[in-house]
Amino acid sequence: MEFKHISVLLDECLEGLNIKEDGIYVDCTLGGAGHSKEIIKRLSNKGRLIGIDQDKDALKAAGEKLKDYNNATLVHSNFENIKDVVENLGLEGVDGILIDLGVSSYQLDTAERGFSYMQDAPLDMRMNRELEFSAYDVVNGYSEDDLYKIIRDYGEEKFAKRIASFIVKAREEGEIKTTLELVDIIKAAIPAKARREGPHPAKRTFQAIRIEVNRELSIISKTIKDGVEKLNKGGRMAIITFHSLEDRIVKTTYKELTNPCTCPREFPICVCNNEPIVKIITRKPIEASKEELEENPRSRSAKLRVLEKL
């Protein structure tokens, strides 16, 4: 299957990054290189693009799309390693960092990857297929309490307790091996009235398991801080989120960097002398336009937040 992915909030990202033609830019979630292709078009030969992705399918597709550019460097890694990636390339700093936290259309639509609750496939959901830990291990190995917590916290699923209980009960009959086996268990756990309303009944649980498998939330804050450390003065970071859990972490971490004071609240004045590291460019997150929503419905929950290094 061809690696296709419609770049979300493309123009808004390009504007937010405030691209300089001789600058160095890091696309931490390269995907199909939709954002990267437009970034590198705006660079001179003195500029440089660094693309990071943990999915080798993405790197292969991106390499093909960027083959005419000699100032692109593609790296197989998780974006949590941004600091090491930049340093290993011998760079002191970069001028812009883009992170798109969405799952690519390719990953969702390629049945064998096991991300989709609409197609039957082995339980997988690994963005980096070289890692051993997968959705199979979560579904078949986690305790009922741990399953409940991740489905509740990462999926914000109100029937999390019933779903966890039904999964554990189903495991007594044998291993749960495929996506549609899991979907049937989830459907059985959710009352009929609730199944008829709202999104697909398995959507939240699949999101929760995917987040757990790929450690999607636990690495965001550190990545932001490490990335900001590597930004040159005036450099910008743009992050696209797709659900409230991600957005809350990004918003909170941005706020910490704008107000890093560690003094107790009761202190009348600041004595730690920690000064703001960044300024926020987007006071409110940027969302998709009506035109983009019509072209790409998957952009409906996207939010873009931008900061600038002081």
Side-chain angles (χ1 to χ4, degrees):
M1 180 176 175
E2 186 182 349
F3 201 109
K4 288 185 178 180
H5 181 64
I6 301 174
S7 300
V8 173
L9 296 169
L10 177 59
D11 293 338
E12 293 84 351
C13 285
L14 296 170
E15 183 179 344
L17 288 170
N18 194 26
I19 296 169
K20 302 184 297 183
E21 65 174 17
D22 60 348
I24 302 170
Y25 294 87
V26 183
D27 185 345
C28 286
T29 43
L30 184 62
H35 288 105
S36 281
K37 181 77 175 283
E38 294 305 316
I39 291 171
I40 205 167
K41 279 182 183 178
R42 288 158 174 76
L43 301 180
S44 68
N45 287 332
K46 293 181 180 179
R48 186 172 182 183
L49 171 78
I50 300 160
I52 303 172
D53 209 292
Q54 60 179 328
D55 187 335
K56 285 194 170 179
D57 289 350
L59 287 172
K60 184 178 178 182
E64 187 63 27
K65 190 172 284 189
L66 300 173
K67 65 183 180 182
D68 295 331
Y69 298 90
N70 58 12
N71 52 344
T73 303
L74 308 189
V75 181
H76 179 232
S77 186
N78 188 306
F79 63 68
E80 70 174 315
N81 302 316
I82 181 170
K83 194 173 171 182
D84 290 338
V85 169
V86 171
E87 290 176 355
N88 289 341
L89 290 172
L91 302 171
E92 291 186 11
V94 300
D95 299 293
I97 296 170
L98 173 66
I99 307 176
D100 177 348
L101 293 173
V103 182
S104 75
S105 302
Y106 169 84
Q107 288 169 332
L108 289 172
D109 296 339
T110 304
E112 68 188 61
R113 299 297 298 268
F115 286 96
S116 176
Y117 44 79
M118 302 296 288
Q119 303 177 83
D120 200 22
L123 278 170
D124 192 336
M125 303 193 198
R126 291 171 299 165
M127 291 181 182
N128 182 353
R129 298 168 91 175
E130 293 189 352
L131 300 179
E132 291 185 5
F133 186 72
S134 71
Y136 172 89
D137 298 297
V138 174
V139 173
N140 290 284
Y142 277 28
S143 68
E144 183 173 335
D145 190 51
D146 286 342
L147 284 169
Y148 160 61
K149 286 175 181 174
I150 69 162
I151 297 169
R152 176 196 66 189
D153 296 344
Y154 295 167
E156 298 180 296
E157 170 61 74
K158 65 180 179 178
F159 297 108
K161 204 163 191 67
R162 278 178 60 84
I163 292 168
S165 174
F166 274 55
I167 288 173
V168 170
K169 190 173 181 181
R171 287 188 334 210
E172 294 174 1
E173 303 297 320
E175 296 174 331
I176 302 165
K177 295 181 178 180
T178 70
T179 51
L180 292 191
E181 280 180 61
L182 180 58
V183 168
D184 287 342
I185 294 165
I186 295 166
K187 285 181 176 177
I190 296 177
K193 185 174 183 294
R195 289 203 305 269
R196 290 193 293 268
E197 299 170 354
H200 191 286
K203 180 179 180 180
R204 294 187 180 93
T205 300
F206 268 61
Q207 172 183 296
I209 295 169
R210 190 199 79 224
I211 288 171
E212 176 69 9
V213 168
N214 298 289
R215 301 182 302 114
E216 292 176 34
L217 298 182
S218 62
I219 64 177
I220 294 173
S221 185
K222 180 181 181 296
T223 299
I224 293 171
K225 291 172 183 176
D226 284 351
V228 165
E229 187 180 326
K230 286 300 168 186
L231 277 178
N232 295 324
K233 184 178 179 181
R236 290 189 173 185
M237 175 180 284
I239 302 182
I240 307 170
T241 62
F242 285 86
H243 54 76
S244 60
L245 299 171
E246 295 171 338
D247 189 56
R248 200 176 303 137
I249 295 169
V250 172
K251 182 180 178 181
T252 301
T253 308
Y254 276 21
K255 192 173 181 181
E256 285 176 20
L257 294 170
T258 61
N259 182 23
C261 176
T262 57
C263 297
R265 287 187 177 182
E266 59 268 21
F267 276 29
I269 59 169
C270 173
V271 294
C272 72
N273 296 320
N274 288 339
E275 297 184 350
I277 302 167
V278 305
K279 67 176 180 180
I280 306 299
I281 301 299
T282 50
R283 286 297 163 190
K284 289 185 177 180
I286 297 170
E287 299 182 1
S289 64
K290 184 180 177 182
E291 292 74 21
E292 180 169 0
L293 288 170
E294 289 175 358
E295 181 184 344
N296 181 19
R298 284 179 176 167
S299 67
R300 68 185 176 279
S301 56
K303 291 182 177 181
L304 171 67
R305 294 184 185 272
V306 183
L307 60 72
E308 182 175 300
K309 178 83 169 280
L310 294 174

